[in-house]
Amino acid sequence: SKENESLTEEHERMKEECKQKLEMLTDKEQGISNLSREVKNLNGKVVALSKENESLTEEHERMKEECKQKLEMLTDKEQGISNLSREVKNLNGKVVALSKE
């Protein structure tokens, strides 16, 4: 009958529509899966970079402390040199005075 034929056509059209929607959903799921994998990779990189940054920060702090200590040592040595220089001037003054006698 015509009604039956019409229903069959409608049924076939709906089946084709469902098939296309299913393919679209499958593509989207694949895209989501790919994005999910990419997000995991990026998260891994973020963790690695974060650890590297932490390590570099620690190294920077260690080097700052080392520089501070070396600067203090140099300041002490400069003070010692200044004292020795003053002492040499005093002794030179005494030598000059003694040589005039």
Side-chain angles (χ1 to χ4, degrees):
S1 80
K2 261 192 170 172
E3 191 181 325
N4 202 11
E5 193 178 306
S6 177
L7 284 173
T8 302
E9 286 173 4
E10 176 71 9
H11 179 71
E12 287 303 315
R13 191 186 59 69
M14 288 177 80
K15 261 175 53 178
E16 184 57 34
E17 200 176 294
C18 283
K19 184 180 161 197
Q20 288 173 0
K21 286 183 178 175
L22 185 61
E23 287 172 0
M24 211 170 66
L25 279 174
T26 303
D27 289 347
K28 285 184 178 179
E29 281 179 347
Q30 186 58 53
I32 288 169
S33 177
N34 292 342
L35 286 173
S36 179
R37 218 178 351 270
E38 198 175 326
V39 166
K40 281 183 187 172
N41 288 339
L42 288 172
N43 276 335
K45 287 179 184 177
V46 166
V47 168
L49 285 171
S50 180
K51 285 180 182 174
E52 188 180 333
N53 186 38
E54 193 178 314
S55 174
L56 287 171
T57 301
E58 288 170 3
E59 176 72 3
H60 176 71
E61 289 303 316
R62 190 188 59 71
M63 288 175 80
K64 262 175 49 178
E65 185 56 36
E66 199 176 293
C67 284
K68 184 180 160 198
Q69 290 171 359
K70 286 181 179 176
L71 185 62
E72 287 170 359
M73 212 169 65
L74 279 173
T75 304
D76 290 348
K77 285 183 179 177
E78 283 176 346
Q79 187 59 51
I81 289 169
S82 179
N83 293 342
L84 286 173
S85 178
R86 220 180 350 271
E87 200 175 320
V88 167
K89 281 182 188 170
N90 289 339
L91 290 172
N92 276 336
K94 288 180 182 177
V95 167
V96 168
L98 285 173
S99 66
K100 285 182 177 176
E101 284 182 5

